[in-house]
Amino acid sequence: ASAGRSGIWRTDCLRAGRVSGAMGEYGQYDVPGVDTQVNFKVGQPAPSMLPLDMIREAANAKFAENDPLFLQYGHIYGFPKFRASLAKFLTERYEHDVDPERLLASNGNTGALSLICSLFTKAGDIVFAEEPTYFLAKSIFKDYNLDCRQIPMDEHGLDVDALEKALEEGPVPTMMYVVTTAHNPTGRTLPEDRREKLAMLSAKYKFLLVADEVYQMLTFPHIKPPPPMFTYDKEGTILALGSFSKILAPALRVGWIQGAPELLKKIADCGQLDSSGGLNPVAFGIVQKAIDMGLQDKHLDQVRETLWTRYSTLAKALDEHLPEGTTYEVPQGGYFVLVKLPEGQVAADLLAEATENHKVGFLPGTSFGEKMKNYLRLSFSFYDAEDLGMGAERLAAAIKSYQAKLA
């Protein structure tokens, strides 16, 4: 990566795929070098996409201030200047007015979803989600002993007619979780008419709709997504989750919950926040400065361009190498490509062949839904062009070898 453009994109000695243990001292887990494996399971930004210089600049600016109360237990909703800056940023990006009084600062979408589950559901409650859905959301529902039932999707996203039928037949869920834009793992974006109907169904049947909008601002540069879900919320039944993990840096653990004041108050009044205060006040301050100094906007534009370039590189390699009968879905943005094997073939079985004999890994579709046995998810966020091409070639060879053994 170039070190130009104000140093935001830095040359990284831990270039993805070339150095074993690319997560180094701080990462969640080590990623082997491509000589060992191209691991398409890794849904994280590349080291070169982590804006260390930008975060340093924003942090220095924030810590140049002289109010020691910045280090106090924080405002439960997130301190007002942060929410004002966030609302201005979202208003410009969403092209719809965002009220800072309808925002509660979170520690990212995972923490927000877990907190919502703890406050708005109880063990045994029914939760709806798409099929497929984000696999770690399913893990959170399991943590709270929730009964997760999945509603089918089609090529345009959640099948809202199938949802309506399920609601008519009952039982009605306590909550529904959806990823509306650049869906993980399909890359699909729910169109406006379905968003409107989804919001209407939430109001009619009185279930809480949790919209995970982590990719709302990460569609590819030439794709304008439909308006975010809060714009369809007429009855105060929607909580929308946003995060800086993908648009700035995941280690900041900063995000937001957007919704009606009555819903946010239930969160703000909980024992956890009453005891702790704001969830991550120092990081909120750093992000506030990144927004106010224009760094966040610049970085987000670059991230979108980079993801588009990486997807395009991977798609070209898949077009060149995938065997006949194996297809992939064209995403609207985000981090992932969903690959479909011919009917009757099992991605989990392919994974064993791929990792043991072809130095390539991926996430099998059954992680996302029981009906996804012949699907697999590839992430294009972590590797550069050369390594993405190499991974696609290895994957294709693994598929051909797996299919030959079935013959």
Side-chain angles (χ1 to χ4, degrees), residues 193-227:
D193 60 334
R194 295 195 186 191
R195 292 175 185 234
E196 186 173 4
K197 185 169 183 177
L198 177 58
M200 180 274 290
L201 290 171
S202 172
K204 179 180 178 180
Y205 288 93
K206 295 181 172 52
F207 62 88
L208 179 66
L209 180 64
V210 178
D212 187 338
E213 296 186 322
V214 65
Y215 302 110
Q216 179 68 25
M217 291 180 276
L218 283 178
T219 54
F220 296 137
H222 59 286
I223 294 175
K224 182 178 179 180

Side-chain angles (χ1 to χ4, degrees), residues 145-172:
N145 296 308
L146 301 175
D147 180 2
C148 181
R149 304 183 185 183
Q150 294 184 258
I151 305 297
M153 302 177 75
D154 61 20
E155 65 271 20
H156 301 297
L158 176 70
D159 184 339
V160 292
D161 292 333
L163 171 62
E164 184 173 33
K165 183 179 179 181
L167 292 168
E168 288 172 352
E169 294 175 352
V172 172

Side-chain angles (χ1 to χ4, degrees), residues 53 104 155 177 200 325 395:
D53 292 343
L104 186 148
E155 65 271 20
Y177 169 82
M200 180 274 290
L395 176 64

Side-chain angles (χ1 to χ4, degrees), residues 65-377:
E65 298 176 359
N66 292 316
D67 188 347
L69 292 179
F70 176 49
L71 301 180
Q72 186 57 277
Y73 290 101
H75 192 295
I76 286 177
Y77 283 82
F79 64 87
K81 285 184 180 178
F82 169 67
R83 284 185 290 124
S85 295
L86 174 60
K88 182 175 182 292
F89 169 69
L90 294 178
T91 294
E92 292 171 355
R93 287 286 172 168
Y94 288 168
E95 299 181 3
H96 289 271
D97 287 339
V98 173
D99 182 354
E101 297 305 313
R102 288 176 171 258
L103 297 173
L104 186 148
S106 76
N107 57 343
N109 282 12
T110 299
L113 180 59
S114 182
L115 185 58
I116 289 167
C117 287
S118 75
L119 295 171
F120 291 88
T121 69
K122 62 182 183 301
D125 280 355
I126 295 170
V127 172
F128 280 3
E130 302 133 316
E131 185 166 29
T133 192
Y134 175 45
F135 71 108
L136 292 177
K138 291 175 65 179
S139 295
I140 292 172
F141 302 148
K142 185 178 179 181
D143 289 343
Y144 288 95
N145 296 308
L146 301 175
D147 180 2
C148 181
R149 304 183 185 183
Q150 294 184 258
I151 305 297
M153 302 177 75
D154 61 20
E155 65 271 20
H156 301 297
L158 176 70
D159 184 339
V160 292
D161 292 333
L163 171 62
E164 184 173 33
K165 183 179 179 181
L167 292 168
E168 288 172 352
E169 294 175 352
V172 172
T174 303
M175 183 177 84
M176 183 168 191
Y177 169 82
V178 291
V179 183
T180 48
T181 301
H183 175 268
N184 177 8
T186 66
R188 301 168 194 164
T189 292
L190 197 67
E192 288 192 50
D193 60 334
R194 295 195 186 191
R195 292 175 185 234
E196 186 173 4
K197 185 169 183 177
L198 177 58
M200 180 274 290
L201 290 171
S202 172
K204 179 180 178 180
Y205 288 93
K206 295 181 172 52
F207 62 88
L208 179 66
L209 180 64
V210 178
D212 187 338
E213 296 186 322
V214 65
Y215 302 110
Q216 179 68 25
M217 291 180 276
L218 283 178
T219 54
F220 296 137
H222 59 286
I223 294 175
K224 182 178 179 180
M229 285 304 299
F230 84 90
T231 62
Y232 304 92
D233 185 11
K234 308 303 181 186
E235 302 295 332
T237 60
I238 298 175
L239 288 175
L241 312 183
S243 175
F244 286 91
S245 292
K246 299 291 196 297
I247 65 173
L248 190 56
L252 291 167
R253 307 314 309 145
V254 174
W256 63 92
I257 304 172
Q258 184 175 11
E262 297 78 13
L263 293 179
L264 295 185
K265 186 175 187 302
K266 182 168 182 174
I267 299 172
D269 287 347
C270 76
Q272 177 184 337
L273 295 184
D274 190 22
S275 175
S276 72
L279 284 166
N280 203 350
V282 169
F284 297 161
I286 295 170
V287 173
Q288 176 225 333
K289 284 296 184 181
I291 293 171
D292 293 350
M293 297 166 72
L295 301 172
Q296 171 64 87
D297 274 321
K298 184 182 293 187
H299 183 69
L300 177 53
D301 290 341
Q302 292 168 351
V303 167
R304 295 179 72 198
E305 289 287 349
T306 298
L307 291 175
W308 167 240
T309 299
R310 292 186 177 200
Y311 161 71
S312 300
T313 299
L314 178 59
K316 182 178 179 180
L318 293 174
D319 288 339
E320 181 178 352
H321 297 294
L322 283 182
E324 186 175 353
T326 299
T327 60
Y328 67 91
E329 190 151 356
V330 177
Q332 298 287 297
Y335 272 28
F336 306 109
V337 170
L338 190 66
V339 175
K340 182 180 181 181
L341 301 171
E343 293 294 333
Q345 297 182 11
V346 180
D349 295 340
L350 169 62
L351 181 61
E353 172 69 24
T355 56
E356 291 171 14
N357 300 320
H358 296 274
K359 298 182 179 181
V360 63
F362 55 80
L363 193 59
T366 48
S367 300
F368 306 96
E370 292 181 1
K371 299 177 182 177
M372 301 290 291
K373 291 182 180 179
N374 62 319
Y375 290 85
L376 54 115
R377 191 195 73 175

Side-chain angles (χ1 to χ4, degrees), residues 14-19 21-24 29-34 37-50 306-307 310 335-336 378-385 387-388:
L14 295 175
R15 177 170 166 258
R18 295 303 178 199
V19 180
M23 289 300 183
Y29 45 76
D30 282 346
V31 180
V34 297
Q37 184 185 90
V38 175
N39 187 358
F40 281 122
K41 182 179 178 179
V42 181
Q44 301 186 3
S48 59
M49 293 170 64
L50 297 174
T306 298
L307 291 175
R310 292 186 177 200
Y335 272 28
F336 306 109
L378 309 179
S379 170
F380 51 81
S381 61
F382 192 76
Y383 293 100
D384 65 13
D387 297 340
L388 288 169

